[in-house]
Amino acid sequence: MNQRASDTIAIPVREPTRSPLIDILFAYAAIVPIAAGAVSLYVWPARSDAVLPLTLIWAGAIVTFLSGVRRGVSFRIPDGATISQLAMMLWLFLAGFGSILLTGAQWFGAATVVLILAYLSLAVLDPLAARSGEVPSSFAGLRPYQMGLAVLSRALLGLRVAGFA
């Protein structure tokens, strides 16, 4: 049996299995600039010198923000954060911050690859973490679509950066 320290309290938690509408709106609002940036590279290629780095920096900032979200939800675990929560938080932070540094160094292709991997990991691992109770259960339905849009946008951007489109 697991012994709890005398300085802890139990708080019953009820959370929705599906994201409330306001959460969905905010979740996708963060991804819209990424998608818009990728599309604008095709619509206004002459502006790619400004749009590309701004889109990459925004995408990196969102990944870094999501590392904080992951760390924040780990505080609700009764006996402390799990190794997988801490590993995911560190991965997301390093990927987000690293992609911003790569963008600053004008290594746009490398930044795009790092971001695709970060968003893919969120799309795959957040639903698994939701089923194990490491993140809110609503992430199971939200993240694959939200992050899928981000991955598709990053892939379009990557094709543009690589000169294939």
Side-chain angles (χ1 to χ4, degrees), residues 2-90:
N2 195 0
Q3 294 288 334
R4 293 189 187 259
S6 61
D7 61 348
T8 63
I9 61 171
I11 300 173
V13 175
R14 293 175 53 101
E15 63 184 26
T17 55
R18 294 189 331 186
S19 297
L21 180 59
I22 192 70
D23 292 354
I24 293 170
L25 292 175
F26 277 118
Y28 281 97
I31 303 303
V32 166
I34 298 169
V39 169
S40 71
L41 291 174
Y42 292 88
V43 176
W44 297 295
R47 299 298 312 171
S48 63
D49 58 331
V51 172
L52 177 60
L54 289 174
T55 303
L56 288 169
I57 289 169
W58 179 266
I62 294 300
V63 170
T64 305
F65 169 79
L66 291 173
S67 76
V69 169
R70 183 53 82 101
R71 180 63 179 132
V73 297
S74 74
F75 288 121
R76 74 183 183 127
I77 303 299
D79 295 321
T82 65
I83 296 296
S84 62
Q85 285 174 315
L86 294 174
M88 186 66 166
M89 180 269 302
L90 286 171

Side-chain angles (χ1 to χ4, degrees), residues 91-109:
W91 153 242
L92 292 174
F93 179 79
L94 293 172
F97 189 63
S99 71
I100 292 169
L101 292 177
L102 289 168
T103 299
Q106 296 187 358
W107 293 348
F108 303 133

